[in-house]
Amino acid sequence: MCELLGMSANVPTDICFSFSGLMQRGGETGPHKDGWGIAFYVGKGLQTFHDPAPSCQSEIANLIKNHPIKSKTVISHIRQANVGSICLENTHPFTRELWGYSWTFAHNGQLDPKLFDLPLHYYHPVGTTDSEYAFCWLLGQIRERFPQRPKNFSEVIELIHCCCDQLRELGVFNMLMTESEYLLAYCSTKLSWITRRAPFGRARLTDEELTVDFCKETTPNDIVTVVTTEPLTNNEHWRKLQTGEMIVFREGVQQPLSRCFGHA
């Protein structure tokens, strides 16, 4: 399956350190060699990079690794193809517009062909993956229920959680999703996360010989949360999500969810 990486921060932050570890899993330390992509938000603006080549060999990936693009919300994905050929249009993350916001989505897992029986009314896939189809259906459900962005975004989160539970019944559905402000993570089988805040310490990557002292790279007010399929460092405590669990972050801080949420 694929690997996910998401970041939510309260200040514009680069993801060079985490991405340096992730990109090695794209054909070097892991089998996910069928393309990769990354999306950076600057306000409501969105900057994306996609490449169907293995990330460990990609010059574009090296650019991301070495060039500190600052963002408060990031989603990245490296692919191990199961449904759909290896090509640019099948490379995550996928993006669609709703309410004047660019929504971004990335998925880890494989879904039953029954997925394609779910009706699409507003959004349609460009490629042939089950992931993009699921995203089109999910975003269509949001648009149908909420033609305009509601003042209480927790209502949207509740609907997304219910839709994710429905998709999980069709197979493995680990996903990251954002509209620029909120980073949503839903776990079917495997997701972990960590929030870094003062007092900061040193972090050591698992997939590359690289250590960073975040105390020298941050201010005492910085809050940065990273969500990934497998922990990227081997000297920090990462929290694992449970099956059916959704977590939401805004500016690096975990948001409280209503009692109807929780793992199943």
Side-chain angles (χ1 to χ4, degrees), residues 19-48:
F19 186 76
S20 296
L22 181 78
M23 68 177 286
Q24 298 306 315
R25 298 178 181 180
E28 184 66 34
T29 61
H32 318 89
K33 58 181 175 34
D34 301 324
W36 67 277
I38 191 167
F40 300 89
Y41 283 86
V42 180
K44 289 174 62 178
L46 182 62
Q47 187 174 28
T48 63

Side-chain angles (χ1 to χ4, degrees), residues 7 9 11-15 38-49 67-75 100-102 104 178-182 251:
M7 184 189 77
V11 294
T13 304
D14 73 70
I15 202 168
I38 191 167
F40 300 89
Y41 283 86
V42 180
K44 289 174 62 178
L46 182 62
Q47 187 174 28
T48 63
F49 300 86
H67 182 60
I69 299 174
K70 302 286 188 177
S71 175
K72 293 172 72 173
T73 308
V74 178
I75 287 181
Y101 289 78
S102 295
T104 298
T178 183
E179 41 52 274
S180 75
E181 184 177 353
Y182 294 90
E251 296 197 337

Side-chain angles (χ1 to χ4, degrees), residues 11 32 40 59 63 82 93 97 103 175 198 207 221 229 252 259:
V11 294
H32 318 89
F40 300 89
E59 291 300 323
L63 169 68
N82 47 51
E97 182 275 335
W103 289 67
M175 76 96 194
D207 298 89
N221 296 322
T229 302
R259 293 184 179 180

